[in-house]
Amino acid sequence: MAQGEAEIQRQKEMQQAEELLFSGRQELGFAKGLFLGNFVADWVMPYPRLAPAQETELENALADLRQMLDRELDPDWIDRNADIPRHLIDGLARTGVLGMTAPREFGGRGFSQMQYCRILEEIGKRDASTSVFVNAHHSIGIRALLLFGTREQQAQWLPGLVAGEKLAAFALTEREAGSDAANVRMTATPTDDGAHYILNGEKRYITNAGIAQVWTVMARTPVPNKLGKDAITAFLVTPDTPGVEMIEGRMPKLGIRGTATGRFRLNNVRVPKENILGPLGKGLRVALTVLDFGRTTFGACCTGAAKHCLQLAIEHANSRQQFKKTLGNFDLVKKKIARMAADVYA
């Protein structure tokens, strides 16, 4: 009798689930629908949806970007010479890529994060070095300024960064800190009059460090009224400040050779208190928030590269002849390409 009641209850629950599913109520969830055999494509293709005006603006921006990249981007040259040429940087600035999500009042495009991801996906299809360069400059290099900067700081720094006249870098990583962002050891000690902070320490693996004119630097500052306590604070630092020592402007790498990944040391570098980004002692929150934005756009770059690889595989499978038929006619090749397509979609 108990088993019969349990079966009746299970059937009732399945019926309720199906009613929820077919009523289209969002709380059911896309993944739960898969288990019930219903693929609600509208929830994921595309997601999120852009307003018609945004979609039109994005398509126009993508068309301009593709034309510029066709003309200016040579990935083989970048890899051979381990450099990104100035004319390509100027092209990226001209098409708005270097200030894509910055407010229009400072020369930016005012794009949403979704629109910006589509832009970086297109660059990721072409060249990894260029996509990482853009990601370092805009996705994290000026992100703290966009999210936490005062209106005065934004007005002072953003126009040149958006126009490509200055380039940006995000300086978090040290010998013992990187993914472990809370373990930053660079120090920033306030002067007696409180007008400046004296920064000491070393940063490494900093993308764009060798070519940037503006660094967002994370350093430990004393916590007011708490003797012996310190916390991380974000600072805007320019590499032409006395005491900045560039140890390596371009660290050698096996991939993304065009990016200027650098290592530098700050020796008693005086930074005005006006260059603090966000609240004093809240730099860890600043850093983690900035990295959240950078991870999504970096994912978009990788997705673009993956889509391009899939397209190359399909073209090869449809043209390469073996045993009097193309590779695409072999079941195992079909299975491999189907798995690739599924992984790229995911």
Side-chain angles (χ1 to χ4, degrees), residues 83-301:
D83 190 20
I84 295 175
R86 184 67 220 187
H87 65 82
L88 176 57
I89 296 174
D90 291 339
L92 292 167
R94 191 170 57 252
T95 51
V97 172
L98 300 186
M100 192 60 69
T101 66
R104 297 179 189 276
E105 62 186 290
F106 299 121
R109 297 290 294 267
F111 273 26
S112 68
Q113 186 74 352
M114 175 63 175
Q115 290 172 298
Y116 179 44
C117 282
R118 292 271 297 277
I119 293 291
L120 275 180
E121 184 178 304
E122 181 64 33
I123 299 174
K125 292 178 181 179
R126 314 284 189 121
D127 179 59
S129 290
T130 304
S131 65
V132 170
F133 158 75
V134 174
N135 207 52
H137 168 80
H138 186 63
S139 299
I140 59 176
I142 67 173
R143 183 63 61 180
L145 187 59
L146 292 172
L147 294 174
F148 299 97
T150 64
R151 299 295 291 179
E152 292 77 12
Q153 288 174 327
Q154 291 177 348
Q156 177 184 352
W157 299 90
L158 278 179
L161 291 165
V162 167
E165 297 166 1
K166 295 180 179 179
L167 300 175
F170 182 75
L172 167 67
T173 308
E174 302 176 3
R175 181 185 293 274
E176 304 297 336
S179 298
D180 183 9
N183 204 32
V184 166
R185 288 292 172 260
M186 178 171 281
T187 61
T189 306
T191 56
D192 292 337
D193 60 4
H196 292 79
Y197 281 79
I198 308 301
L199 273 63
N200 282 283
E202 182 181 313
K203 299 288 184 181
R204 59 177 60 198
Y205 310 132
I206 308 303
T207 305
N208 289 358
I211 57 175
Q213 291 77 38
V214 181
W215 297 335
T216 302
V217 177
M218 301 295 161
R220 306 197 77 87
T221 54
V223 177
N225 304 318
K226 291 187 178 180
L227 188 63
K229 297 289 185 179
D230 57 22
I232 300 172
T233 298
F235 293 87
L236 286 170
V237 179
T238 57
D240 58 356
T241 306
V244 173
E245 177 187 356
M246 183 61 68
I247 303 171
E248 287 183 272
R250 289 184 177 272
M251 302 172 75
K253 302 182 294 298
L254 284 173
I256 55 171
R257 287 166 42 80
T259 56
T261 306
R263 181 161 68 102
F264 63 83
R265 184 179 295 116
L266 302 185
N267 303 299
N268 295 320
V269 173
R270 291 172 63 90
V271 177
K273 66 177 182 180
E274 289 78 14
N275 285 22
I276 292 176
L277 275 175
L280 182 69
K282 300 297 182 181
L284 181 59
R285 180 167 69 90
V286 172
L288 295 179
T289 304
V290 165
L291 292 175
D292 283 344
F293 279 80
R295 294 297 178 255
T296 58
T297 51
F298 187 66
C301 298

Side-chain angles (χ1 to χ4, degrees), residues 31-85:
K32 189 179 290 186
L34 291 178
F35 282 97
L36 294 172
N38 192 41
F39 181 77
V40 190
D42 287 349
W43 290 359
V44 291
M45 287 192 302
Y47 178 83
R49 293 185 183 275
L50 293 172
Q54 286 182 307
E55 186 67 40
T56 300
E57 188 178 29
L58 173 60
E59 290 303 326
N60 291 336
L62 282 169
D64 291 341
L65 176 64
R66 290 177 184 126
Q67 289 181 6
M68 187 278 294
L69 293 176
D70 288 343
R71 185 173 59 252
E72 304 289 352
L73 176 59
D74 182 349
D76 293 334
W77 187 96
I78 289 173
D79 194 62
R80 284 196 303 269
N81 293 276
D83 190 20
I84 295 175

